[in-house]
Amino acid sequence: MSNESKAVLSSFSKRYGPEEKNGWACREIDFEAEKGKITGLLGPNGAGKSTLIKTLCGIQYATSGNVCVCGLTDFTDIRRVTGYVPETPELEENLTVIETLRQESFLRGDSRQSTDAFLKSAMKMMDLSDVASKKIKALSKGYRQRVSLARAVSFDSKVLVLDEFSGGLDPAQIVKIRKSIKKLSADKIVILSTHHIEEAESLCDLIYIMDRGTVVAKGSVQEILKQSGRKNLEEAFLSLTHGGD
C-alpha cells in the first residue's frame, strides 16, 4: 500500500521536559495505520496514547523520529487532511450545529458543492438533523460529542483520529456510531485511542498496546494473545502493562 494510504511513525520520541528528569512521554515508537483498517491504541492512563495521536494529527511536533501521514511530512499539511475528535469536545459555544460544521468545512478549503455533500452525510451519520439550528451551549454532553464526530467528517478528511470518543454517549449511541466508524474506515485511515479493552476488541483490526511511553505489543487480538500466552485480551493487557502490577 502506498504512503498516501498510511500514517507512519518511525523511531518516534516525544519529550516534554529535560531528559535528565525523565520527561519522555514516548520513546522510539514505530507505528503504522492504513486505510481500510481501524488501528487501536490501548493502554492505561499516562501510557503516551494522546501524545502519539496528537503528533499524528499535526497538533504537536516530534522531539525525534519521522512522521508521515498520507505521504505528508509538513505538520500544517497533515492538519488539513486529519479529522480529530478529542475526548472532551472543543466547540464554539455560541455557534449552531450547522454553523459549526460549515465553519470547519470552510476552513479546510472545500468547495461549496463538496461542503454541502459532506455536511449532509455528516449530519445523517451522527443523527443531528433535529438539533441543526441549536447552539452548542444548549446541547447535552452526548450531543456535543456527536457534533465533534460530525465535524471531523464534515470535510474531505483522509484520516480520522478518535481520542476516547465514546465519553458521554449512551449505549445505543455507541453501537450506532461504532457502525459508522467501521463504514468510514473503508475510505479513511482510522485511528482509535482508548483505555477500554472491550472497545478496542470490538472495533480494531490492529491493536498497539502501550505502556509507559513504549509499545509493548502489537497485532490482531489473536496475535497479541499468542504473543502474551493469555486466554483473552484483558489478561494480556494486564500482563503487559503496569495495570497488572
Side-chain angles (χ1 to χ4, degrees), residues 78-159:
I78 291 172
R79 286 195 293 271
R80 291 194 182 106
V81 301
T82 304
Y84 172 54
V85 184
E87 181 176 6
T88 302
E90 298 170 355
L91 305 167
E92 172 53 55
E93 294 276 304
N94 289 314
L95 292 181
T96 65
V97 171
I98 194 66
E99 287 170 345
T100 298
L101 303 188
R102 284 194 181 280
Q103 181 188 64
E104 186 70 14
S105 192
F106 173 77
L107 291 172
R108 302 289 182 159
D110 286 350
S111 67
R112 177 60 183 270
Q113 185 177 6
S114 64
T115 292
D116 289 344
F118 284 121
L119 290 189
K120 183 178 180 180
S121 175
M123 293 284 287
K124 181 179 180 181
M125 186 178 298
M126 300 306 162
D127 197 18
L128 293 170
S129 297
D130 57 334
V131 296
S133 61
K134 286 190 176 183
K135 290 188 175 183
I136 299 300
K137 63 184 178 183
L139 300 181
S140 66
K141 183 179 180 182
Y143 265 115
R144 290 182 185 219
Q145 190 65 312
R146 285 155 66 184
V147 173
S148 186
L149 278 159
R151 186 174 67 171
V153 295
S154 65
F155 63 100
D156 189 18
S157 55
K158 308 298 183 187
V159 186

